[in-house]
Amino acid sequence: MVHASRTIKVNADPKEPKLTRSLVWRGLVMKAENPLPFVPVITACRIVERQGDDRFVREIVDKGDTITEIVTLQPQRTVKFERTSGRVLGTILNEIVEDSDGDLALKFTFRLSVEGIEPGSTAERDFAGQMEEGYLMAVAATLKAMRKLARENALPAV
């Protein structure tokens, strides 16, 4: 099982537009429904089924792998991605939190198992490192896209 968790300040750079919890939430919902503008390694996404206002099933293509995820929204707080098919299964959380300084932050956590990789092996540790690096880049890309959308007043109310 690959596990990592990181918390990143949302408004670390005072030169950038300040994002509120509401704006970050809008961006996370947009990213859940269409991650292509936010996560460069995802090349396709389609929503397969809506299961109410706060839950849907999507299919993504991530670095060539087709993955099915159940996405659950906890408004203003958490987006949970449960990977149910594909080579990498498990759970990914995107949470809006306050960090230890009381500043708005995004916390991402993943707990994943990888088909064909022995638990506890060097290959699993290498995969975990690459996954964490990829998620750090995805969070940075997400925040960058949110700031761009905020500057353009293009973060719709959800």
Side-chain angles (χ1 to χ4, degrees):
M1 177 76 56
V2 175
H3 174 263
S5 185
R6 289 301 249 342
T7 303
I8 298 159
K9 286 185 186 292
V10 169
N11 296 305
D13 186 347
K15 296 178 204 140
E16 292 289 344
K18 185 172 179 161
L19 297 175
T20 63
R21 177 180 288 270
S22 178
L23 289 172
V24 171
W25 176 249
R26 291 181 207 164
L28 287 180
V29 171
M30 290 174 69
K31 180 175 89 81
E33 292 180 342
N34 179 18
L36 278 65
F38 299 92
V39 186
V41 296
I42 296 178
T43 56
C45 177
R46 72 182 180 96
I47 295 179
V48 176
E49 176 187 2
R50 293 237 178 232
Q51 302 175 335
D53 292 340
D54 296 332
R55 187 175 161 104
F56 58 90
V57 179
R58 74 179 191 175
E59 187 178 272
I60 62 170
V61 177
D62 181 348
K63 292 182 233 150
D65 291 332
T66 300
I67 300 163
T68 301
E69 297 177 321
I70 298 170
V71 180
T72 305
L73 309 173
Q74 288 185 303
Q76 303 293 323
R77 298 187 51 193
T78 305
V79 180
K80 179 180 180 183
F81 303 90
E82 296 173 76
R83 290 188 165 191
T84 59
S85 77
R87 195 173 76 81
V88 181
L89 302 177
T91 303
I92 300 166
L93 294 176
N94 292 179
E95 299 174 88
I96 304 171
V97 299
E98 283 79 34
D99 67 9
S100 58
D101 297 327
D103 295 328
L104 190 64
L106 267 178
K107 179 179 181 182
F108 73 89
T109 305
F110 59 85
R111 286 184 177 81
L112 303 168
S113 58
V114 185
E115 179 182 286
I117 295 183
E118 184 69 31
S121 68
T122 300
E124 185 182 61
R125 285 189 296 279
D126 289 347
F127 180 87
Q130 291 170 2
M131 194 86 174
E132 189 169 5
E133 183 178 313
Y135 274 95
L136 285 171
M137 285 190 290
V139 169
T142 297
L143 289 170
K144 181 179 178 181
M146 285 178 191
R147 286 190 186 92
K148 180 179 184 295
L149 290 168
R151 277 192 291 275
E152 297 168 354
N153 289 322
L155 283 172
V158 288

